[in-house]
Amino acid sequence: MPASAYPKSARPALIVGSVAIDRVATPFAESDNLLGGAASYAAIAASYFAPTRLVGVVGGDFPKAFWKRLQKHGIDLSELRVDQEGKTFYWSGKYHEHFAGRDTLEVRLNVFEKFSPVLSSTMLESPFVMLGAIMPTLQNQVIDQFAAAKKKPFILADTFDLWIHTMRPDLERLMRRIDLLVINEDESLLLTGERNLVLAGQRLRQMGPKSVVIKKGGHGSLLFHRDGYFSISAYPVTKFIDPTGAGDSYAGALTGYLASVNRSDFLALKKAVAYATAVSSLTVESFSVNRLSGAGRKTVDARLKALVELTRF
Amino acid sequence: MPASAYPKSARPALIVGSVAIDRVATPFAESDNLLGGAASYAAIAASYFAPTRLVGVVGGDFPKAFWKRLQKHGIDLSELRVDQEGKTFYWSGKYHEHFAGRDTLEVRLNVFEKFSPVLSSTMLESPFVMLGAIMPTLQNQVIDQFAAAKKKPFILADTFDLWIHTMRPDLERLMRRIDLLVINEDESLLLTGERNLVLAGQRLRQMGPKSVVIKKGGHGSLLFHRDGYFSISAYPVTKFIDPTGAGDSYAGALTGYLASVNRSDFLALKKAVAYATAVSSLTVESFSVNRLSGAGRKTVDARLKALVELTRF
């Protein structure tokens, strides 16, 4: 969306994370040379709500069409660094039958191996920041830069099971420094040792983040906040193609919505979670960002309205 | 509750099903000589909303304390037949770690083996009926009696996986004769061959029932109705003791609420599903019907209010 289309209240949303070229196989189809990476999904999702900036790195092989796709959404790519010598981060994965889990078939970190985000003073002015599930050490480095610049943006962080297993102290430090942790069901149980999601959410908040969102895929998501607990159903998707990026677009939409209203109180977070639910339901309806990118704001709003309808009694 | 405490609109709710003596082992504790059976849970749950009648059978060993427990809720037990020669249906089960499934350790049908519900003309006047998950042939027999008496009550039926495997034609006939099928997630997929709950719910409606509810345990439930789709989150239970009877009290509360307002339109069904969610969240907080029976209507209403709060945005 052009900046002029955002509400007056809108502030910039910064997305830091991976930009990748994916190959995905589902039980029904496969596709390669796909625009992927958490930051791609998240930035497109955020761009429905607020001016969006992406900090990441790609190689000299990064297709022109992918640049154009991100630019079409008005995303500021001035700090999406291009390492001409190297190749873009490559990920190949295969989903199990009934989408019950997935295997990573191949990962080539390529230029992402040496990724160390250094933010310009412009980027450090961003009041809403999403840290994709890069290494917690890198996530902490980004926060260090904000701290050094005496900036205190709203920070949302994602993580994933590998970091819970291998970099727990860094992850725990991160958790004490962020406003919102967005995590999936299995990871929430792994990280807390709980077996009950309500207890897991409460425990995660005790570990540091002001608020916590637990994503349950097709069962919706839960928000834990000082002022209360919120639970939202999933949008009833029947054309389920590829779940890759659903969590990233969820977190991106959440960040974008908060940036658009320039608020982060419980009420704003509830509505952000609802928008995140609507937006991520689009992502799973195609490979890559195709449906997410093509849907348009009207479709997003229609899904939000449907979510209101189908949960009211 | 005494009949005088029900709203003026309230009509009688009839519950047909098993009354049992249970032994239950969870990963944390075990308990025996428990009041169990679908009809016990369902009738107590229904009694929070409307005058409730129970049709079933017990043996001469059925404890006085269990009679008193049911009577305390004002449940009409005039057609809870006592077979003095025999023993009460006995069930013993053990839940797996993390409550991921359960094994039936022992079943003694006893007097329940020859259970064949014959309804008096009084019972046949009941305008709201729940058929617990007894054999579909018996469920059909009950409907035959209503048909012979030219009565058309609202009929809710439950079922379970054994009947899907062994008595499918009878179950399919039943489905064409009922107003509401209440079924759990796994059974809905098993019965339809679908992998997506939204598609499963749509398919189940095509098989006959006017409406369908799919229960997802800790993830809430889904309602499929001609006029729309409704999804409700679970009440956030943190003191999870024993899930036995949760589905039965869900269906009982649903029936009781509809009877209390003497309606079965989409709006009434949504509210009934919400009350069912509130009531069944109590059941899992103790062994047997202890918490369900002891909670009182104020607690039920408080949980409903909490459900409204935690799902609104």
Side-chain angles (χ1 to χ4, degrees):
Chain A
M1 274 205 322
S4 60
Y6 296 121
K8 265 196 180 166
S9 55
R11 297 289 173 274
L14 170 64
I15 313 291
V16 182
S18 61
V19 175
I21 297 175
D22 284 354
R23 176 187 179 92
V24 176
T26 75
F28 307 109
E30 56 182 89
S31 195
D32 64 1
N33 201 30
L34 301 167
L35 173 56
S40 307
Y41 285 101
I44 293 174
S47 76
Y48 276 117
F49 306 96
T52 301
R53 303 158 167 181
L54 195 169
V55 167
V57 63
V58 294
D61 61 338
F62 193 66
K64 266 249 156 40
F66 292 178
W67 278 105
K68 284 191 177 155
R69 176 72 76 143
L70 295 166
Q71 280 164 342
K72 198 190 118 213
H73 286 269
I75 299 165
D76 177 349
L77 300 175
S78 58
E79 295 184 33
L80 175 57
R81 198 162 60 82
V82 185
D83 184 342
Q84 290 293 355
E85 314 279 282
K87 288 192 145 192
T88 304
F89 178 28
Y90 174 86
W91 179 81
S92 167
K94 185 181 166 72
Y95 287 89
H96 305 163
E97 210 185 347
H98 311 316
F99 293 98
R102 74 179 183 198
D103 293 321
T104 291
L105 301 182
E106 195 177 349
V107 176
R108 294 182 226 140
L109 289 176
N110 297 330
V111 298
F112 198 63
E113 191 165 5
K114 288 174 288 178
F115 179 56
S116 176
V118 177
L119 276 56
S120 70
S121 57
T122 305
M123 293 296 154
L124 289 171
E125 296 286 341
S126 311
F128 292 86
V129 179
M130 168 181 158
L131 304 175
I134 52 179
M135 286 197 293
T137 44
L138 293 180
Q139 292 174 314
N140 276 314
Q141 272 179 34
V142 174
I143 300 178
D144 291 342
Q145 293 171 57
F146 280 104
K150 305 214 184 305
K151 301 290 181 191
K152 285 189 132 289
F154 179 93
I155 296 180
L156 175 159
D158 190 5
T159 190
F160 84 120
D161 54 1
L162 180 63
W163 311 138
I164 298 173
H165 287 298
T166 62
M167 303 190 77
R168 190 165 176 127
D170 299 287
L171 177 57
E172 288 182 352
R173 178 165 180 250
L174 174 78
M175 288 173 72
R176 291 189 295 269
R177 306 174 81 190
I178 61 177
D179 297 277
L180 176 59
L181 177 72
V182 175
I183 191 165
N184 77 30
E185 184 173 355
D186 290 345
E187 291 158 0
S188 76
L189 301 176
L190 176 66
L191 186 48
T192 60
E194 295 287 351
R195 292 300 312 178
N196 175 303
L197 291 178
V198 182
L199 296 176
Q202 293 170 353
R203 179 79 195 98
L204 287 171
R205 275 197 66 228
Q206 287 165 2
M207 293 170 78
K210 291 202 191 79
S211 302
V212 171
V213 166
I214 298 180
K215 295 169 293 170
K216 307 188 293 171
H219 293 303
S221 46
L222 311 174
L223 165 64
F224 301 83
H225 184 275
R226 188 188 54 210
D227 295 345
Y229 166 82
F230 174 62
S231 173
I232 190 164
S233 299
Y235 181 89
V237 170
T238 52
K239 190 196 164 205
F240 192 91
I241 303 293
D242 172 15
T244 309
D248 305 314
S249 40
Y250 182 103
L254 209 170
T255 309
Y257 177 77
L258 294 177
S260 79
V261 293
N262 193 21
R263 281 169 51 192
S264 57
D265 54 284
F266 188 38
L267 275 174
L269 278 164
K270 287 200 257 190
K271 195 149 180 202
V273 159
Y275 265 117
T277 301
V279 169
S280 58
S281 76
L282 294 164
T283 302
V284 305
E285 293 183 345
S286 76
F287 281 104
S288 184
V289 301
N290 296 335
R291 177 80 171 118
L292 170 67
S293 167
R297 177 67 193 249
K298 270 189 189 161
T299 304
V300 170
D301 285 332
R303 292 213 167 182
L304 187 85
K305 191 159 171 274
L307 273 171
V308 173
E309 286 297 318
L310 70 89
T311 57
R312 287 279 156 98
F313 59 91
Chain B
M1 273 204 324
S4 61
Y6 297 121
K8 265 197 180 164
S9 55
R11 297 290 172 273
L14 170 64
I15 313 291
V16 182
S18 61
V19 175
I21 297 174
D22 285 355
R23 177 189 179 89
V24 176
T26 74
F28 307 108
E30 57 181 88
S31 194
D32 63 1
N33 201 32
L34 301 168
L35 174 55
S40 307
Y41 285 101
I44 293 174
S47 76
Y48 277 117
F49 305 96
T52 300
R53 303 157 166 180
L54 195 169
V55 167
V57 63
V58 295
D61 62 338
F62 193 65
K64 265 249 153 44
F66 292 177
W67 279 104
K68 284 191 176 155
R69 175 71 77 144
L70 295 166
Q71 281 164 339
K72 198 189 119 215
H73 286 270
I75 299 165
D76 178 349
L77 301 175
S78 58
E79 295 183 34
L80 174 57
R81 198 162 61 81
V82 185
D83 183 343
Q84 290 293 354
E85 316 279 282
K87 287 191 148 193
T88 304
F89 178 28
Y90 175 87
W91 178 80
S92 167
K94 185 181 166 72
Y95 287 88
H96 304 163
E97 209 185 347
H98 311 315
F99 294 98
R102 73 179 184 199
D103 294 322
T104 291
L105 301 182
E106 195 178 350
V107 176
R108 294 182 227 141
L109 289 176
N110 297 330
V111 297
F112 198 63
E113 192 166 3
K114 289 175 286 178
F115 178 56
S116 176
V118 177
L119 276 56
S120 69
S121 57
T122 305
M123 293 297 154
L124 289 170
E125 297 286 340
S126 310
F128 291 87
V129 179
M130 168 181 159
L131 304 176
I134 52 179
M135 285 196 293
T137 44
L138 294 180
Q139 291 173 314
N140 276 314
Q141 272 179 34
V142 173
I143 299 179
D144 291 342
Q145 294 172 56
F146 280 103
K150 305 216 183 302
K151 300 290 180 189
K152 285 190 132 288
F154 178 93
I155 296 181
L156 175 159
D158 190 4
T159 191
F160 83 120
D161 55 1
L162 181 62
W163 310 139
I164 298 173
H165 286 298
T166 62
M167 304 190 76
R168 192 169 174 124
D170 299 288
L171 177 57
E172 288 181 351
R173 176 164 181 251
L174 175 78
M175 287 173 73
R176 292 190 294 269
R177 308 175 79 191
I178 60 177
D179 297 277
L180 176 60
L181 177 71
V182 175
I183 192 166
N184 76 30
E185 184 172 355
D186 290 344
E187 291 158 358
S188 76
L189 301 176
L190 177 66
L191 186 49
T192 60
E194 295 287 351
R195 292 300 311 177
N196 175 304
L197 292 178
V198 182
L199 296 176
Q202 292 170 354
R203 180 81 195 95
L204 287 171
R205 275 196 65 228
Q206 288 164 1
M207 293 170 78
K210 288 201 192 79
S211 303
V212 171
V213 166
I214 299 180
K215 295 170 294 170
K216 307 189 294 172
H219 293 303
S221 46
L222 312 174
L223 166 63
F224 301 83
H225 184 275
R226 187 188 54 211
D227 295 344
Y229 166 82
F230 174 63
S231 173
I232 190 164
S233 300
Y235 181 89
V237 170
T238 52
K239 190 195 165 206
F240 192 91
I241 303 294
D242 172 15
T244 309
D248 306 314
S249 40
Y250 182 103
L254 210 170
T255 309
Y257 177 78
L258 295 177
S260 80
V261 293
N262 193 22
R263 282 170 49 192
S264 57
D265 54 284
F266 188 39
L267 274 174
L269 278 165
K270 287 200 256 188
K271 194 146 182 204
V273 159
Y275 264 118
T277 302
V279 169
S280 58
S281 76
L282 293 165
T283 302
V284 305
E285 293 182 345
S286 75
F287 281 105
S288 185
V289 301
N290 296 335
R291 177 80 171 118
L292 169 68
S293 166
R297 177 68 193 250
K298 270 189 189 162
T299 304
V300 170
D301 286 332
R303 291 213 167 182
L304 186 84
K305 192 159 172 274
L307 273 170
V308 172
E309 286 297 317
L310 70 88
T311 57
R312 288 279 156 99
F313 58 91

